[in-house]
Amino acid sequence: MKAINSMKLQFEGRSVNESFSRTAVAAFVAQLDPTIEEISDIKTAVSEAVTNCIVHAYRHKLGVVYITANILPDSHVVIKIRDKGCGIPDIPKAMEPMYTSAPEEERAGLGFAVMQSLMDKVKVTSKEGKGTTVVLERSIRCKEA
Ligand SMILES: Nc1ncnc2c1ncn2[C@@H]1O[C@H](COP(=O)(O)OP(=O)(O)O)[C@@H](O)[C@H]1O
Ligand SMILES: [Mg+2]
């Protein structure tokens, strides 16, 4: 479906940029006049996906994180978060609640579970050694006039 509006963002995968990225996406989505809860849900989901790029995809190295956000008709928001990192060998396993490949870093393994609970749709594609794309979709409920 053709986007009504879109934006692209790319930044270095440093922890300090995580809050920048979620705030930037929230500022873009703000044009749909979302509720505070909707904005908060989107920020949390983006934050989880971006954190995964920084801590898992580019483990022990620095890489670039790419975000695109599209607004489709009926206030439907599609956000893609992409990295060119290590990739995910087994996506269903990675998405299981409580699974983490980094227990020594005290990761809870709940990032994907949180994204799925807050978004209408979460899609993950990945290629080992090439990178991962997470697509988050959420409809913004139109406030009554
Ligand atoms: N962008 C990514 N690149 C590589 N591996 C990832 C990526 N995102 C998630 N993973 C893998 O999926 C697992 C589960 O992710 P998540 O549910 O966010 O839990 P956590 O980050 O606490 O480990 C991670 O431990 C990691 O192995
Ligand atoms: Mg995580």
Side-chain angles (χ1 to χ4, degrees):
M1 207 181 281
K2 201 170 162 15
I4 290 168
N5 195 4
S6 66
M7 72 90 161
K8 272 188 196 185
L9 193 64
Q10 94 175 48
F11 55 93
E12 290 187 353
R14 302 180 188 275
S15 305
V16 287
N17 289 335
E18 181 270 312
S19 75
F20 156 72
S21 66
R22 79 175 121 95
T23 305
V25 172
F28 179 71
V29 174
Q31 65 192 279
L32 295 172
D33 197 17
T35 62
I36 289 169
E37 194 186 351
E38 286 166 338
I39 273 291
S40 157
D41 289 353
I42 288 172
K43 278 168 106 169
T44 304
V46 168
S47 164
E48 290 293 340
V50 169
T51 301
N52 282 350
C53 300
I54 297 169
V55 303
H56 299 301
Y58 298 126
R59 208 165 189 197
H60 309 308
K61 59 176 191 179
L62 184 64
V64 179
V65 180
Y66 306 83
I67 299 183
T68 66
N70 282 282
I71 293 172
L72 303 183
D74 296 325
S75 297
H76 192 72
V77 181
V78 181
I79 302 157
K80 284 186 198 173
I81 295 125
R82 187 165 65 90
D83 65 68
K84 293 184 178 173
C86 65
I88 303 176
D90 184 341
I91 295 171
K93 187 172 158 203
M95 292 181 80
E96 274 172 27
M98 316 281 278
Y99 171 81
T100 181
S101 58
E104 71 284 358
E105 288 176 22
E106 299 186 9
R107 300 261 147 218
L110 292 172
F112 281 127
V114 166
M115 289 181 236
Q116 281 174 318
S117 73
L118 299 177
M119 296 291 107
D120 295 330
K121 205 164 146 190
V122 178
K123 207 174 75 193
V124 182
T125 53
S126 190
K127 221 173 177 171
E128 267 189 281
K130 295 266 184 222
T132 301
T133 302
V134 174
V135 184
L136 306 172
E137 294 192 32
R138 171 82 189 244
S139 274
I140 301 301
R141 175 181 57 77
C142 276
K143 280 186 195 160
E144 313 239 331

